[in-house]
């Protein structure tokens, strides 16, 4: 069953009902973007419709978090580009059993740790509810033959939720280092886009050359194993970032660069795997 990720929206609904005064705009945004994604799961919508709703939904949470009044225009433009990029990258990365649910659990758990042991920045429920939703979803999805799939409504609403939390944390700490909680997906997505541009492919059309796709399709690794690998790497990365931020903050930028270079180096092995597969 496609669209099993609707459970994420129900988690948002529950959070809204428990926090009506503070969560109204967040819930409106995630409902709009979730509704369009759900319709897109049923029948393909024009890309301009999806893009407009994504921009509008991101805009209203920017308004809710006072981004328009706090930051200059150039930062706001970058924030829009990054936010829309995360939404679509998260959607593109949702291609094998377990990867979206497991990876999202790690991302939200990383935020939860920061919230409880580094600096409080949101209501804990805003972090716990999506973890519960992902855990329930994984019960049906993390199987050799999945009983349901996240669909656009699952991956895109999760990405929207993550963006909302990420912006709050960045504003609270005045540091963008927390985007490293998405570094594994980020490196895979950006490097794959560059690879497709090099091949002169339309980056908006489906493909099978993400690193995880090469591992699961060409190398025939079990989807669940590949999902676990991505999850473990992101877990280790997030732990290193948290530790460095807390205890060795003066080195946080250097450590982030080293992590990114390492992830790019690992990604580059994809080309060796492709060559070996076709030789």
């Amino acid at each position: 069953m496609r669209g099993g990720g609707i459970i994420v929206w129900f988690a948002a609904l529950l959070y809204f009902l428990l926090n009506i005064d503070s969560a109204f705009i967040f819930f409106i945004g995630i409902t709009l973007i979730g509704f369009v994604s759900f319709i897109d799961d049923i029948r393909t919508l024009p890309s301009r419709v999806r893009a407009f709703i994504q921009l509008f939904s991101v805009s209203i949470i920017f308004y809710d978090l006072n981004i328009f009044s706090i930051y200059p225009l150039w930062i706001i433009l970058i924030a829009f580009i990054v936010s829309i990029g995360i939404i679509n990258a998260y959607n593109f990365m949702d291609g094998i059993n377990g990867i979206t649910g497991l990876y999202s659990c790690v991302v939200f758990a990383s935020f939860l740790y920061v919230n409880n042991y580094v600096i409080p920045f949101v209501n804990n429920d805003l972090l716990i509810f999506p973890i519960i939703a992902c855990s329930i979803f994984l019960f049906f999805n993390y199987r050799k033959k999945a009983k349901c799939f996240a669909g656009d409504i699952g991956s895109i609403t999760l990405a929207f939720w993550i963006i909302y939390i990420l912006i709050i944390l960045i504003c609270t700490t005045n540091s963008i280092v927390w985007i490293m909680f998405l570094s594994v997906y980020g490196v895979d997505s950006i490097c794959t886009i560059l690879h497709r541009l090099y091949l002169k492919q339309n980056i908006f059309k489906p493909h099978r050359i993400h690193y995880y796709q090469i591992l699961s399709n060409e190398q025939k690794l079990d989807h669940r194993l590949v999902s676990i690998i991505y999850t473990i790497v992101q877990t280790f990365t997030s732990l290193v970032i948290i530790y460095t931020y807390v205890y060795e903050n003066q080195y946080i930028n250097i450590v982030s660069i080293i992590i990114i270079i390492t992830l790019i180096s690992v990604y580059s092995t994809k080309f060796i795997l492709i060559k070996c597969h076709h030789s």
Side-chain angles (χ1 to χ4, degrees):
M1 182 185 74
R2 194 178 178 191
I6 196 172
I7 191 173
V8 178
W9 180 83
F10 280 108
L13 173 62
L14 179 59
Y15 177 78
F16 167 66
L17 293 175
L18 295 174
N19 302 272
I20 293 177
D21 292 338
S22 61
F24 179 73
I25 294 180
F26 164 73
F27 182 68
I28 292 297
I30 203 168
T31 298
L32 285 173
I33 205 169
F35 175 75
V36 170
S37 300
F38 183 69
I39 296 300
D40 197 45
D41 281 331
I42 298 173
R43 61 172 187 173
T44 303
L45 292 173
S47 57
R48 62 181 179 276
V49 174
R50 299 195 304 270
F52 174 77
I53 295 299
Q54 289 177 11
L55 282 169
F56 183 77
S57 299
V58 170
S59 295
I60 63 175
I61 62 170
F62 279 14
Y63 171 79
D64 185 41
L65 300 175
N66 296 317
I67 300 301
F68 294 117
S69 60
I70 296 175
Y71 296 99
L73 180 60
W74 67 272
I75 290 182
I76 294 171
L77 290 175
I78 292 174
F80 267 115
I81 294 171
V82 172
S83 297
I84 299 302
I86 290 173
I87 288 172
N88 288 282
Y90 226 83
N91 190 28
F92 294 150
M93 292 296 294
D94 179 33
I96 56 175
N97 298 352
I99 194 166
T100 294
L102 288 172
Y103 193 86
S104 298
C105 281
V106 169
V107 175
F108 284 111
S110 300
F111 285 130
L112 185 63
Y113 183 91
V114 172
N115 195 46
N116 285 279
Y117 299 104
V118 180
I119 182 170
F121 64 99
V122 290
N123 184 332
N124 259 355
D125 287 347
L126 192 61
L127 306 171
I128 294 173
F129 284 15
I131 293 176
I132 295 174
C134 288
S135 299
I136 295 172
F137 169 70
L138 282 168
F139 177 78
F140 299 98
N141 177 256
Y142 190 65
R143 301 164 181 251
K144 188 171 185 179
K145 291 185 177 180
K147 294 184 178 294
C148 71
F149 303 94
D152 286 359
I153 187 174
S155 58
I156 289 179
T157 52
L158 279 170
F160 183 82
W161 202 323
I162 288 169
I163 290 166
Y164 185 70
I165 294 168
L166 182 62
I167 292 171
I168 297 174
L169 181 54
I170 289 174
C171 292
T172 302
T173 60
N174 197 31
S175 172
I176 63 170
V177 70
W178 310 110
I179 202 169
M180 292 295 291
F181 285 172
L182 298 167
S183 56
V184 175
Y185 264 22
V187 167
D188 193 326
S189 299
I190 293 172
C191 288
T192 299
I193 288 173
L194 294 175
H195 184 198
R196 298 192 71 198
L197 289 173
Y198 173 77
L199 296 174
K200 298 181 180 179
Q201 296 179 353
N202 186 336
I203 63 173
F204 299 105
K205 290 187 176 181
H207 64 94
R208 294 165 63 93
I209 60 173
H210 273 295
Y211 190 64
Y212 77 85
Q213 291 172 320
I214 299 300
L215 292 175
S216 57
N217 296 326
E218 272 68 22
Q219 298 302 309
K220 305 301 180 183
L221 293 182
D222 190 300
H223 288 198
R224 294 167 296 176
L225 175 60
V226 176
S227 296
I228 283 290
I229 291 172
Y230 270 67
T231 302
I232 291 173
V233 174
Q234 184 58 66
T235 300
F236 178 75
T237 299
S238 297
L239 289 174
V240 170
I241 289 298
I242 293 171
Y243 176 86
T244 307
Y245 181 85
V246 174
Y247 298 106
E248 303 289 347
N249 191 265
Q250 67 271 29
Y251 301 117
I252 190 67
N253 292 331
I254 295 175
V255 170
S256 298
I257 292 171
I258 291 173
I259 289 172
I260 292 172
I261 292 174
T262 302
L263 291 174
I264 292 173
S265 298
V266 172
Y267 179 91
S268 66
T269 64
K270 181 186 82 170
F271 302 104
I272 299 175
L273 297 177
I274 292 174
K275 184 177 180 180
C276 291
H277 178 74
H278 292 291
S279 60

